[in-house]
Amino acid sequence: MEQQHDKNSENILSLANNLRWDLGVNLHDAVVESIYEDASRIARKTVSSKGNKAAYNLERKIDQLVTSRWLGFPIMLLMLALVFWLTIAGANVPSGLLAALLLDTVHPALKSFAAAAGLPWWLDGVLIDGAYLAMAWVVAVMLPPMAIFFPLFTLLEDLGYLPRVAFNMDSLYRKAGAHGKQALTMSMGFGCNAAGVIAARVIDSPRERLIAIITNNFSLCNGRWPTQILIATIFIGGAAPAHWAGLVSAGAVVGIAVLGIGFSLAVSWALSRSVLKGEASAFSLELPPYRPPRIWQTLYTSLIDRTIFVLWRAIVFAIPAGVVIWLVANVHIGGQSLAEYFIRWADPIALLFGLNGVIFLAYIIAIPANEIVIPTVLMLTVVSAGLSGVGAGAGVMFELDSIGATEEVLRAGGWTLLTGVNLMLFSLLHNPCSTTIYTIYKETNSLKWTLVSTFLPIVLGLAICFFVTQLWLLTA
Amino acid sequence: MLMTAHPGITLLIGISGLLALAAAFWPQKGLLARIARGRLNTQRVLLEDALKFFFDCEYKNISCRLNSIAGSLHISADSATRLLSRLRSMGLIQLQEDSFRLTDAGRSYALRIIRVHRIWERYLADETSIGQMEWHGEADLKEHHLSLEAADQLAAQMGNPVFDPHGDPIPSARGELPAYTGQPLSALKEGDIARIIHIEDEPRAIYAQIVALGLYPGMQVYVMDITEERIQFAANGEECVLAPFFAANITVEKLSAREPIQQKAELLSSLKAGESATIKGLSANCRGQQRRRLMDLGIVPGAQITASFRSASGDPVAYRVLGTTIAIRKSQADNIFIERSDAKP
């Protein structure tokens, strides 16, 4: 009986399958078509629309303005420049306050408390100079710019302006095999690459989304701007005549950022034509109506979803990294610290790329955040060059108040103009920070694409630094 | 030691390092890609290809000879003879009169391979953006390595498709296929109306030319003139000319004269800002996710569409459909057929 039943149902299924051959190739289309037909018939019968002609006309006027041939791009650049200016100008004061509180007040207080409690020196070092300091540093330099940049960006998004930017930029990205919305994720990346990677969710085509994620790291993020500005001021500005110094170094930093955009387009192009050729692609871009932004909701979501979310991931990675940073400078084997061992060993290799062992080590151990690369470089330079009277001791990251003092430390560490140029290039073209790498893994759910996004920029960066250095030496 | 070397020498080493990397990893032509391909060419692959060829002959009622087997598999006549005797000893084919026929076991083996092949082609067409010239080659490699269970799973994910993207029926899991109803386009007479049901994807050169003409399964053709040298026909209102040798690679199904002849449709990309039209259909060249996405957005036959405004760079263009504004790239708008509304807004 049971068997008979199975047999019957199998026959019915196979008959159904055979009948589908007679229906032809366009079955799916026909089904969708009839669904739409039914839906619109029902809608015609039951829905009446008043329609706000005036509002629609105003919207059309705005659309024609922001997508016009001559004004479209200038308006876009102006808006972006405004957002960046507000971020940089607005973040300075709160960043200074946070640094004064967390680094200059709480840190010494913790140290004296530890001393009073009789904590052994190594425990005090690992916990306070290592873990706490790294975390405090990340919070002080990351929080204010993100807390300004993300809400501003979300406001523009909410207003409906950002989809128009994607609409205007699409033809450029189409030629690179990418989606116009990548212009948005790229701009977001200028704030924070991890946030840029998350923002790639707006791209619904799988291939274009992967491209946007992998190339987001080529946007010079907030954590790297200060490094670029510092090094450009010291080495590039320093090499130019005094009255041109400011302009030349500013030009160099902008040049690096533009180079990053160039790389993001070039790598998108190459990826979409090689490894990502086969990934599915479906372009679609909706242009929602303009609407007044919901300020409070925007503030809340951008602070919670973006700022706190990214900051939390950064802190989680910064704490163990702080411990490692302290340990490499303080664990000694045969009279030398681990850091010195590595730096001696890596120096000859790093010099081929116009960098040095300190930079290599700093980029490895300061992986949680680009913000702590320069403090780590300074600390390691002091340790390896045996400078005295600078900094706060082995394993304690520090920054110097004056640019001149920073320059002295770096020059004592053997830095030249060539090192400066290569550091700027390598700062643009190296692996994403651990927060971003983790975010890429979370977003793509693929180890393969995470590894590609991590190692592709390093290989590219090392290759570029190598050729720049060797050509420089050849012509020098 | 290294750093003391002359920069010219290190540069040379660097450049040769880059070249070596490129030679190893270059897609399609690199060493790794070649090695991966080379490993696939086994005896089993040849055997399965031969079975597929026999099945195709049988399905189309063509007699199958030694020479044609050797030719289609790109092997010498000697190897073909050895291959056939191996197939016979395995009980997969038998000699009937003077041509080879598949045994039942051979037929079901061939159907399994064909099922995997066509499911994979369907997958490439719908779920990836591999170009249509590459489907067949990719599926030819994959068919020998994808298990039937994996193919069944893939088919289930895609909603159990019954046709491959060339218009060929996919054998059911039980090994059934509909009867062959088509005839070559070259066999039609003047004035015949037919629908393309299949475009043969081999040989590649001929397939490339047919694809270049923009022909695809599901298209209506109307034969205008047919001579020994050429066949002239209208496909969706567009005039095409093919040599009969080429036209033989297109299989059609004759339609009764009552079916309306499809007029040449205008393309959405020809609509200027402010103009409106009714959507007539989507070209079959727009497929898979892209097609579903457009239809989900309301690009379905019968819908009203208005071109609103161009982007600052000219492409894409914003269109208004179903009360929302969506941006469509020119390459997509070229695949959407419209009929202009008489009344202009």
Side-chain angles (χ1 to χ4, degrees), chain A residues 94-108 110 127-144 311 314-323 368-369 371-372 375 397 399:
Chain A
S95 261
L97 287 177
L98 272 177
L101 177 71
L102 295 176
L103 304 177
D104 302 337
T105 313
V106 175
H107 182 241
L110 280 176
L127 290 182
I128 300 173
D129 292 337
Y132 169 76
L133 201 59
M135 183 202 80
W137 213 294
V138 165
V139 172
V141 287
M142 262 177 111
L143 180 59
L311 193 68
I315 289 173
V316 167
F317 286 108
I319 292 174
V323 171
E371 282 88 345
I372 58 173
M397 296 183 294
E399 236 168 22

XYZ file of all heavy atoms in Angstrom, chain A residues 94-108 110 127-144 311 314-323 368-369 371-372 375 397 399:
376
model
N 37.750 67.620 20.888
C 37.431 66.447 21.724
C 38.560 65.422 21.769
O 38.770 64.795 22.805
C 36.173 65.865 21.081
C 35.975 66.580 19.809
C 36.731 67.855 19.858
N 39.319 65.265 20.654
C 40.448 64.337 20.662
C 41.483 64.772 21.685
O 42.014 63.960 22.452
C 41.104 64.263 19.288
O 40.661 63.136 18.595
N 41.750 66.094 21.708
C 42.714 66.631 22.665
C 42.253 66.407 24.090
O 43.026 65.983 24.958
N 40.952 66.634 24.313
C 40.407 66.448 25.657
C 40.506 64.990 26.102
O 40.924 64.691 27.226
C 38.938 66.905 25.692
C 38.699 68.410 25.643
C 37.208 68.711 25.607
C 39.356 69.076 26.847
N 40.130 64.100 25.189
C 40.182 62.675 25.520
C 41.611 62.243 25.812
O 41.868 61.480 26.749
C 39.612 61.845 24.363
C 38.103 61.609 24.374
C 37.693 60.828 23.131
C 37.706 60.820 25.616
N 42.563 62.732 24.978
C 43.969 62.371 25.187
C 44.442 62.880 26.534
O 45.124 62.175 27.283
C 44.825 62.935 24.055
N 44.055 64.139 26.861
C 44.475 64.706 28.143
C 43.926 63.875 29.292
O 44.612 63.625 30.286
C 43.980 66.146 28.242
N 42.685 63.408 29.117
C 42.060 62.639 30.192
C 42.650 61.228 30.287
O 43.170 60.817 31.315
C 40.542 62.573 29.939
C 39.760 61.729 30.942
C 39.716 62.424 32.285
C 38.353 61.445 30.432
N 42.593 60.494 29.162
C 42.943 59.068 29.205
C 44.450 58.835 29.262
O 44.923 57.920 29.939
C 42.350 58.344 27.994
C 40.825 58.298 27.914
C 40.381 57.633 26.622
C 40.261 57.540 29.113
N 45.229 59.657 28.514
C 46.664 59.396 28.420
C 47.454 60.158 29.475
O 48.392 59.637 30.060
C 47.188 59.764 27.024
C 46.479 59.080 25.851
C 47.023 59.581 24.521
C 46.660 57.565 25.944
N 47.066 61.438 29.705
C 47.893 62.263 30.589
C 47.408 62.272 32.040
O 48.159 62.641 32.946
C 47.951 63.705 30.069
C 48.492 63.753 28.653
O 49.198 62.783 28.276
O 48.203 64.718 27.920
N 46.157 61.906 32.277
C 45.652 61.936 33.652
C 45.429 60.530 34.214
O 45.992 60.162 35.243
C 44.326 62.727 33.714
O 44.487 63.934 32.988
C 43.948 63.028 35.150
N 44.616 59.737 33.470
C 44.270 58.413 34.003
C 45.490 57.489 34.021
O 45.716 56.747 34.980
C 43.113 57.794 33.191
C 42.835 56.376 33.661
C 41.865 58.654 33.309
N 46.316 57.565 32.941
C 47.470 56.664 32.850
C 48.438 56.854 34.019
O 48.760 55.878 34.728
C 48.163 56.838 31.499
C 49.327 55.926 31.297
N 50.594 56.397 31.102
C 49.411 54.579 31.303
C 51.415 55.370 30.988
N 50.733 54.253 31.096
N 48.905 58.114 34.310
C 49.778 58.304 35.475
C 49.089 57.907 36.782
O 49.734 57.319 37.673
C 50.073 59.804 35.461
C 49.796 60.251 34.085
C 48.735 59.363 33.553
N 46.844 55.593 37.187
C 46.866 54.134 37.277
C 48.246 53.648 37.696
O 48.390 52.743 38.514
C 46.486 53.517 35.933
C 44.994 53.458 35.581
C 44.806 52.911 34.186
C 44.253 52.577 36.594
N 49.810 45.349 31.871
C 48.419 45.779 31.993
C 48.236 47.265 31.700
O 47.355 47.651 30.927
C 47.881 45.466 33.396
C 47.668 43.988 33.695
C 47.090 43.816 35.092
C 46.753 43.361 32.656
N 49.087 48.109 32.302
C 48.849 49.552 32.200
C 49.565 50.162 30.999
O 48.952 50.835 30.172
C 49.245 50.251 33.519
C 48.402 49.661 34.657
C 49.019 51.751 33.411
C 48.806 50.124 36.014
N 50.882 49.884 30.855
C 51.607 50.457 29.709
C 51.241 49.761 28.409
O 51.305 50.344 27.331
C 53.115 50.347 29.943
C 53.566 51.252 31.079
O 52.842 52.221 31.355
O 54.621 50.970 31.684
N 50.901 48.490 28.512
C 50.555 47.755 27.294
C 49.077 47.850 26.978
O 48.650 48.665 26.153
N 48.272 47.025 27.668
C 46.861 46.895 27.322
C 46.093 48.205 27.468
O 45.427 48.656 26.524
C 46.221 45.818 28.190
N 46.231 48.864 28.641
C 45.429 50.075 28.860
C 45.807 51.175 27.879
O 44.943 51.810 27.262
C 45.588 50.593 30.292
C 44.979 51.975 30.449
C 43.593 52.130 30.525
C 45.768 53.125 30.431
C 43.018 53.377 30.607
C 45.202 54.389 30.508
C 43.822 54.512 30.603
O 43.262 55.737 30.661
N 47.122 51.396 27.706
C 47.563 52.510 26.881
C 47.097 52.331 25.424
O 46.623 53.280 24.793
C 49.086 52.626 26.948
C 49.640 53.986 26.564
C 49.088 55.075 27.466
C 51.170 53.982 26.638
N 47.222 51.113 24.897
C 46.800 50.873 23.505
C 45.314 51.156 23.360
O 44.878 51.801 22.402
C 47.112 49.439 23.108
N 44.545 50.673 24.348
C 43.106 50.879 24.273
C 42.754 52.366 24.373
O 41.979 52.890 23.582
C 42.427 50.102 25.398
C 40.932 50.197 25.376
S 40.243 49.848 26.998
C 40.504 51.419 27.795
N 43.407 53.053 25.325
C 43.115 54.468 25.521
C 43.481 55.267 24.276
O 42.755 56.174 23.860
C 43.891 54.989 26.723
N 44.614 54.887 23.674
C 45.060 55.594 22.482
C 44.034 55.462 21.364
O 43.654 56.415 20.693
C 46.403 55.031 22.016
C 47.241 56.085 21.398
C 46.986 56.748 20.242
C 48.441 56.638 21.924
N 47.949 57.667 20.009
C 48.861 57.626 21.026
C 49.208 56.383 23.071
C 50.023 58.369 21.223
C 50.364 57.118 23.259
C 50.757 58.104 22.362
N 43.581 54.226 21.164
C 42.613 53.957 20.100
C 41.332 54.756 20.343
O 40.795 55.392 19.434
C 42.331 52.443 20.009
C 41.090 52.180 19.184
C 43.518 51.728 19.417
N 40.867 54.763 21.581
C 39.628 55.493 21.881
C 39.824 56.987 21.630
O 39.019 57.630 20.953
C 39.196 55.263 23.347
C 38.031 56.183 23.706
C 38.797 53.811 23.557
N 40.947 57.540 22.124
C 41.144 58.982 22.016
C 41.241 59.450 20.575
O 40.684 60.483 20.221
C 42.403 59.383 22.790
N 41.943 58.693 19.735
C 42.106 59.181 18.364
C 40.993 58.729 17.433
O 40.736 59.352 16.421
C 43.471 58.793 17.765
C 44.566 59.615 18.397
C 43.732 57.332 17.922
N 40.303 57.634 17.760
C 39.295 57.132 16.829
C 37.913 57.706 17.092
O 37.170 57.997 16.166
C 39.208 55.610 16.930
C 39.988 54.888 15.862
S 39.888 53.125 16.137
C 38.900 52.629 14.769
N 37.559 57.812 18.359
C 36.169 58.125 18.685
C 35.682 59.465 18.127
O 34.675 59.490 17.417
C 35.969 58.030 20.210
C 34.561 58.335 20.716
C 33.553 57.384 20.088
C 34.493 58.218 22.233
N 36.372 60.600 18.399
C 35.794 61.876 17.956
C 35.580 61.994 16.446
O 34.475 62.342 16.031
C 36.796 62.909 18.475
C 37.491 62.232 19.591
C 37.578 60.799 19.210
N 34.292 50.927 17.024
C 35.194 51.232 18.138
C 35.356 50.009 19.041
O 36.443 49.679 19.484
C 34.636 52.409 18.945
C 35.613 53.011 19.931
C 36.737 53.698 19.192
C 34.914 53.990 20.857
N 37.663 47.627 17.543
C 39.037 48.137 17.611
C 39.607 47.916 19.006
O 40.753 47.499 19.164
C 39.064 49.609 17.245
N 38.769 48.163 20.030
C 39.243 48.001 21.413
C 39.571 46.541 21.698
O 40.602 46.210 22.273
C 38.168 48.525 22.398
C 38.094 50.044 22.319
C 38.481 48.072 23.820
C 36.967 50.653 23.117
N 38.692 45.660 21.214
C 38.902 44.232 21.445
C 40.259 43.785 20.883
O 40.962 42.970 21.483
C 37.750 43.426 20.808
C 38.091 41.952 20.739
C 36.475 43.636 21.600
N 40.628 44.360 19.730
C 41.916 43.984 19.151
C 43.072 44.765 19.770
O 44.204 44.300 19.784
C 41.909 44.188 17.639
C 41.109 43.157 16.922
C 39.887 43.454 16.356
C 41.583 41.856 16.815
C 39.146 42.494 15.699
C 40.853 40.881 16.167
C 39.631 41.200 15.614
N 42.790 45.988 20.242
C 43.871 46.835 20.740
C 44.452 46.298 22.037
O 45.655 46.392 22.272
C 43.369 48.265 20.943
N 43.616 45.708 22.880
C 44.094 45.254 24.186
C 45.174 44.172 24.051
O 46.283 44.354 24.560
C 42.903 44.821 25.075
C 42.103 46.083 25.424
C 43.379 44.103 26.318
C 40.828 45.836 26.163
N 44.900 43.066 23.334
C 45.985 42.085 23.194
C 47.205 42.657 22.457
O 48.340 42.335 22.808
C 45.347 40.942 22.398
C 44.072 41.464 21.870
C 43.643 42.589 22.745
N 46.955 43.529 21.473
C 48.088 44.090 20.739
C 48.946 44.945 21.664
O 50.179 44.928 21.572
C 47.602 44.923 19.559
N 48.298 45.680 22.574
C 49.043 46.488 23.536
C 49.945 45.609 24.386
O 51.111 45.952 24.652
N 49.401 44.459 24.775
C 50.204 43.512 25.557
C 51.410 43.064 24.736
O 52.547 43.052 25.221
C 49.328 42.307 25.974
C 50.183 41.222 26.600
C 48.227 42.752 26.921
N 46.037 46.431 15.163
C 44.650 46.763 15.521
C 44.183 48.103 14.989
O 43.007 48.271 14.713
C 44.631 46.783 17.039
C 45.896 46.225 17.473
C 46.845 46.220 16.359
N 45.089 49.076 14.870
C 44.635 50.385 14.412
C 45.806 51.145 13.824
O 46.898 51.155 14.394
C 44.044 51.170 15.584
N 46.144 54.137 13.844
C 46.419 55.290 14.694
C 47.633 55.072 15.579
O 48.307 56.020 15.953
C 45.207 55.583 15.598
C 44.067 56.286 14.908
C 43.100 55.317 14.254
O 43.450 54.127 14.083
O 41.992 55.750 13.887
N 47.910 53.816 15.959
C 49.003 53.608 16.906
C 50.301 53.226 16.211
O 51.262 52.855 16.862
C 48.626 52.583 18.002
C 48.248 51.240 17.390
C 47.506 53.115 18.877
C 48.042 50.160 18.445
N 53.067 56.132 17.152
C 53.560 55.961 18.527
C 54.423 54.708 18.686
O 55.440 54.731 19.387
C 52.276 55.835 19.354
C 51.244 56.553 18.552
C 51.605 56.376 17.131
N 54.158 53.322 24.357
C 53.985 54.138 23.160
C 53.916 55.604 23.551
O 53.411 55.945 24.609
C 52.681 53.756 22.450
C 52.659 52.346 21.926
S 51.135 52.030 21.046
C 49.966 52.141 22.365
N 53.880 59.930 21.839
C 53.937 60.853 20.718
C 54.595 62.101 21.248
O 54.511 62.409 22.438
C 52.530 61.155 20.204
C 52.385 60.842 18.735
C 50.953 60.849 18.254
O 50.111 61.476 18.919
O 50.690 60.237 17.219
